[in-house]
Amino acid sequence: MDQLNKYNSQRSMYNPTVSDSPHAAMPDRCEGIEFDAITLDRQGNTLFFKGCHLWKGFHGSVQLSNESFKELDDVHHLGHVDAAFRMHNKEDLEDHDHVYFFQDDKVFKYDNDTLEDGYPKEIQQDFPGVPSHLDAAVECPKGECITDSVLFFKGKDVYVYDTATKKLKTKTWSHLPVCTSALRWAEHYYCFHGHNFTRFNPITGEVSGTYPKDARNYFMKCDSFGHGSQYKTPKCSEVKLDAITTDDSGRTYFFKDLIYMRLDTQHEGLHAFPIVRAWKEMTNGVDAVFSVTDKIYLIKGDQVYIYKTTAQYTLIEGYPKSLKEELGIEGHVDAAFVCPNEHTVHIIQGQTIRDVDLNATPRVVTRELPLPFPHIDAALCRPQGVDVFEGSQYYHYENVLKMAMSRMAPVPLDITPAMMGCIE
C-alpha cells in the first residue's frame, strides 16, 4: 500500500478539502444525474459512480463507494473517479476482468473489491500515451473493435489503446457528445452525457437511430420512467416462458409476452428489453423459436419469420411465410428446438413431437414421437441434453429419443436466479 499512501499525501497537499463528501445528502439518480463513471464488475454488476457514491445494478439503492472499494473514501481523499472500465484481455488472465479506476493522473486496478499491489500507478505506466484527467473509458473486445482495445475519452478526442501491442491511436469524434462516462453492454456501446445517453459504433463513432435518450428509461428503475416493456423482475416461482433458444454464436434468449432477455449476459448484467428492439417485426410476441447455423426462426401464429443472426438481426427477404410453406406443418406450435450440430428441428404440438429435416426440399415431417407431457411452454437442446420448461420448473433429458420414450418424468428442477435473473 506504499503507492497508495504516497498518492494520498501528495493529493492532500493540493486538495485539502474534498467536495464529494460522504456526509452530504444521498443523491437520487432518478432525479437526473450526470455520472462520473460507469462500468461492469467481474460478476456482471453495473456500477454507477457519482462523487463518493455508488449504485450497483439497474435496481440497486445508493451507497458509499468505500463500502465496496475501501480506498475510495474521505480519509484517502480520492473523491470521485474520472473513468472506469472492466478489462477484456483473455490473452492475460491475470488482467482479464479486472476493473480499472482513473483519478487525475493515477490508475487503480481492482481484482473484485481488492486493490492490486503496487497501485495506484501513473496512468502512463499502464497505458502509455493515455492522458490524465479523463472523461470516460470503455473496453472493446476483438470482433467489436479490430483488436482487443480500450477507448479513452477526453473532450471530443478518443484514444484507442491496443491492449496487446500497447499502441495508441487518436481519433476526434466531433459529432458525439462529450462522454462523462461510457459503457459496453450486450455488445453495444453507450456514451453517457448529462442524464442522457447516445449509442455509438466503437470503431467509427457513428450514431444510428434517434438519440440522445434518457438513461432513466433504460438503465435504472425509476417511477414514471421506462422503455416500454414495463417489465418487472418476477419471482422464480412465477416464471413462465413462451420460448427459449441459443443462437449459433452461443447467445441464449428467453421470450415472455412482449419482452426478451439475454440469458448469457450474467457477466454483463441481466436486463429485459422489448422484443421489437431486436426483431422489429415481432410486435405480438412469439410462440416458439429455434436457431440453426446463422439464422434464428421465430414462430407466431401460422407465420415463420427468419432472421440472420448478425450483430443487428435482419429479416430475410420474402419473410414471413406460412408454417405450411416453410416447415410443412399446420396448427399451433408450443415449442421448437434444434440440437447442436444437427439440421432437424423438433417441433412440439400438443403431445406430439414432429421432426422436420431443414436440409430437405420440400420440407416435410420425417418422424412423429409422443411427448410425455400434456403441455409444455418451451424447450431447449444443448450439448448436455434437452431441457423442457413447464411453468417455473424444467425437466432434463439426455436426448430427444429418451424424452419421447420415457414413461415417467424425471425429477423437476427449479428455475433459479442464476439462470434467468428472477428473484427467489
Side-chain angles (χ1 to χ4, degrees), residues 36-64:
D36 296 329
I38 306 174
T39 187
L40 296 169
D41 66 12
R42 181 185 287 272
Q43 288 72 38
N45 300 306
T46 311
L47 308 180
F48 299 83
F49 290 88
K50 180 63 178 179
C52 58
H53 295 100
L54 164 68
W55 293 261
K56 287 188 175 182
F58 293 1
H59 307 283
S61 58
V62 64
Q63 64 183 69
L64 292 174

Side-chain angles (χ1 to χ4, degrees), residues 122-154:
E122 299 284 336
I123 292 175
Q124 299 284 329
Q125 288 181 260
D126 271 9
F127 304 97
V130 173
S132 59
H133 301 280
L134 292 164
D135 291 324
V138 65
E139 70 279 8
C140 188
K142 182 179 180 180
E144 297 168 29
C145 281
I146 297 172
T147 63
D148 283 337
S149 306
V150 182
L151 309 183
F152 294 96
F153 296 80
K154 185 169 183 177

Side-chain angles (χ1 to χ4, degrees), residues 322-333:
S322 70
L323 279 168
K324 181 67 175 177
E325 182 181 4
E326 183 63 31
L327 297 173
I329 63 169
E330 294 180 286
H332 178 75
V333 176

Side-chain angles (χ1 to χ4, degrees), residues 91-309:
E91 299 300 318
D92 183 358
L93 295 181
E94 292 186 2
D95 196 29
H96 183 61
D97 279 348
H98 285 62
V99 177
Y100 286 81
F101 295 142
F102 297 82
Q103 214 290 335
D104 296 338
D105 59 353
K106 297 294 189 294
V107 58
F108 298 73
K109 179 182 178 181
Y110 281 85
D111 182 7
N112 290 315
D113 298 341
T114 303
L115 185 67
E116 291 271 284
D117 290 340
Y119 286 84
K121 294 180 179 179
E122 299 284 336
I123 292 175
Q124 299 284 329
Q125 288 181 260
D126 271 9
F127 304 97
V130 173
S132 59
H133 301 280
L134 292 164
D135 291 324
V138 65
E139 70 279 8
C140 188
K142 182 179 180 180
E144 297 168 29
C145 281
I146 297 172
T147 63
D148 283 337
S149 306
V150 182
L151 309 183
F152 294 96
F153 296 80
K154 185 169 183 177
K156 294 286 187 177
D157 292 332
V158 180
Y159 300 83
V160 183
Y161 181 84
D162 187 317
T163 58
T165 65
K166 299 187 180 298
K167 291 182 179 179
L168 191 69
K169 295 182 179 179
T170 305
K171 303 179 180 181
T172 300
W173 289 346
S174 57
H175 58 283
L176 199 65
V178 173
C179 307
T180 60
S181 54
L183 176 68
R184 173 185 179 262
W185 194 88
E187 300 167 13
H188 293 301
Y189 292 78
Y190 301 92
C191 162
F192 289 79
H193 44 96
H195 56 77
N196 296 318
F197 71 90
T198 296
R199 199 175 87 186
F200 65 94
N201 182 302
I203 296 177
T204 65
E206 179 183 359
V207 175
S208 299
T210 304
Y211 290 95
K213 295 181 180 179
D214 196 314
R216 292 170 291 183
N217 285 325
Y218 294 83
F219 289 95
M220 60 202 76
K221 184 178 181 181
C222 298
D223 293 338
S224 302
F225 290 90
H227 51 70
S229 69
Q230 302 303 315
Y231 178 79
K232 294 183 179 179
T233 304
K235 293 181 179 179
C236 292
S237 60
E238 298 172 350
V239 169
K240 180 178 169 61
L241 303 182
D242 289 335
I244 186 170
T245 191
T246 298
D247 69 17
D248 194 49
S249 63
R251 295 174 294 199
T252 303
Y253 302 87
F254 85 63
F255 299 80
K256 173 60 179 172
D257 297 328
L258 300 180
I259 69 98
Y260 78 93
M261 182 180 283
R262 278 272 301 276
L263 299 184
D264 61 311
T265 53
Q266 290 95 334
H267 198 51
E268 300 178 3
L270 288 164
H271 191 53
F273 286 104
I275 292 173
V276 293
R277 179 181 183 270
W279 302 276
K280 64 180 181 180
E281 293 81 9
M282 307 304 300
T283 56
N284 295 312
V286 302
D287 295 330
V289 57
F290 64 92
S291 303
V292 61
T293 59
D294 61 346
K295 300 179 181 66
I296 183 170
Y297 292 63
L298 289 89
I299 300 172
K300 181 63 180 178
D302 64 352
Q303 299 291 300
V304 181
Y305 299 75
I306 305 180
Y307 293 82
K308 294 180 180 178
T309 54

